[in-house]
Amino acid sequence: MTKLLSGKIALITGASRGIGRAIALELASRGADIMVNFARNEEAALSAKNEVESLGRKASLFQGNVGDPKIIDDLVMATISIFGGVDILVHNAAIGAFKPVHKLKINQWDLSMDVNTKAFYLLAQKALPSMEQRGGGSMMTISSLGARRFIPDYGAIGISKAALETLVRYLAVELASKKIRVNCVSGGLVETDAVKSFPQYESFKNEVVKRTPAGRIGKPEDIAKVVGFLASPESEWIVGQTIVADGGLSLI
Ligand SMILES: NC(=O)c1ccc[n+]([C@@H]2O[C@H](COP(=O)([O-])OP(=O)(O)OC[C@H]3O[C@@H](n4cnc5c(N)ncnc54)[C@H](OP(=O)(O)O)[C@@H]3O)[C@@H](O)[C@H]2O)c1
């Protein structure tokens, strides 16, 4: 059976671990070849590449900090030269200092804005000509509930994600006529390495489980499945949205 993303090329930032890795496997299982970007963890990146290949798809690795605009140029150009283009862009990599906003240093503010937000605007600009040439595409990014509500010590990331969700809406309107859809998936707490560094993680997690109608915290695959749907033609009428996948946490 032909898979919905057969012949498509996906570039995913931060695809070595956590949610990005699950997205790589979800898109590969739907037929896409994958450019796996990562920052430092080469071992994890190699294992993500092997897992994509074990699903019968091609994968390539690109190490680099997407907070650096020069790296973004190189990442998109490498994807085009290795695979022939870009059909699906997923900006998943994110970083941030955990502290109150009124204690943030300027470099900590800049770090989150550069990696979490500015990178998506630059990636979108850089991938656009290839998507246009290929007759359309899908751009997606990952946000979190902290974009819309207060989470203690999460301001640096939350503020950058709020800007990211707005960036999605602007790009979506500007690019819709080119058959390029731009969307976002927002999650509640998802069990990955990143959250294990939260202050008092275990008690925070227990509290979130208690408050989540679905009775557990998220798995990377919960987010990846929504990305898989948004990357596929089944979701063609979804344009510029932030889809919340959080087991109902944000309803309470
Ligand atoms: N976990 C949650 O509870 C949760 C909830 C909602 C939304 N999200 C969002 O989901 C996304 C992924 O989060 P996660 O929990 O899966 O994170 P994670 O487990 O910490 O993984 C982060 C990934 O991003 C890469 N990365 C980090 N900084 C980078 C940079 N500057 N340039 C390129 N790659 C970089 C890492 O590469 P290395 O392996 O080389 O370090 C790794 O592959 C983020 O946007 C996050 O805000 C997470």
Side-chain angles (χ1 to χ4, degrees):
M1 194 179 86
T2 312
K3 297 185 171 176
L4 282 175
L5 299 182
S6 283
K8 301 293 182 194
I9 298 147
L11 187 176
I12 307 168
T13 66
S16 50
R17 294 184 289 118
I19 293 169
R21 182 193 185 100
I23 292 170
L25 299 179
E26 175 67 31
L27 298 185
S29 73
R30 288 175 179 245
D33 293 330
I34 313 287
M35 172 58 94
V36 173
N37 159 251
F38 68 105
R40 286 167 298 271
N41 193 330
E42 204 161 352
E43 195 182 325
L46 262 174
S47 112
K49 176 177 185 283
N50 290 340
E51 275 198 73
V52 168
E53 287 169 348
S54 72
L55 293 168
R57 306 314 319 164
K58 291 190 202 124
S60 188
L61 298 181
F62 188 99
Q63 179 170 17
N65 165 20
V66 293
D68 176 352
K70 168 81 177 68
I71 294 292
I72 290 190
D73 284 2
D74 295 348
L75 171 59
V76 175
M77 292 330 284
T79 310
I80 293 169
S81 84
I82 293 166
F83 294 107
V86 185
D87 302 295
I88 299 165
L89 166 67
V90 186
H91 178 44
N92 159 81
I95 198 158
F98 292 108
K99 60 200 287 195
V101 175
H102 67 275
K103 292 186 177 166
L104 272 183
K105 300 211 163 34
I106 289 180
N107 65 323
Q108 293 171 323
W109 169 278
D110 287 344
L111 178 70
S112 287
M113 287 297 179
D114 286 351
V115 174
N116 307 355
T117 313
K118 189 163 82 183
F120 187 55
Y121 126 73
L122 292 173
L123 283 160
Q125 279 190 347
K126 202 71 197 169
L128 179 59
S130 176
M131 286 193 186
E132 278 190 282
Q133 202 181 22
R134 293 166 70 84
S138 176
M139 299 181 179
M140 289 159 290
T141 187
I142 312 298
S143 188
S144 55
L145 300 184
R148 302 185 194 188
R149 57 155 68 170
F150 178 84
I151 297 174
D153 294 330
Y154 193 76
I157 302 178
I159 293 164
S160 69
K161 296 290 191 183
L164 185 63
E165 291 183 11
T166 302
L167 174 58
V168 163
R169 290 188 278 273
Y170 274 82
L171 286 171
V173 174
E174 291 168 4
L175 303 183
S177 64
K178 300 178 189 297
K179 298 197 186 318
I180 297 169
R181 289 185 302 117
V182 189
N183 286 295
C184 178
V185 182
S186 175
L189 188 67
V190 180
E191 184 114 51
T192 67
D193 297 343
V195 299
K196 291 178 188 152
S197 63
F198 281 12
Q200 285 122 32
Y201 172 63
E202 282 305 325
S203 60
F204 180 59
K205 175 178 158 179
N206 292 338
E207 193 51 37
V208 171
V209 170
K210 265 195 245 156
R211 285 180 38 208
T212 301
R216 63 171 174 83
I217 69 162
K219 299 177 282 187
E221 294 73 20
D222 294 324
I223 306 296
K225 282 183 216 162
V226 185
V227 172
F229 170 64
L230 289 175
S232 304
E234 305 156 309
S235 62
E236 68 175 337
W237 207 231
I238 301 180
V239 172
Q241 300 303 309
T242 293
I243 309 287
V244 177
D246 68 350
L249 173 63
S250 55
L251 299 175
I252 298 199

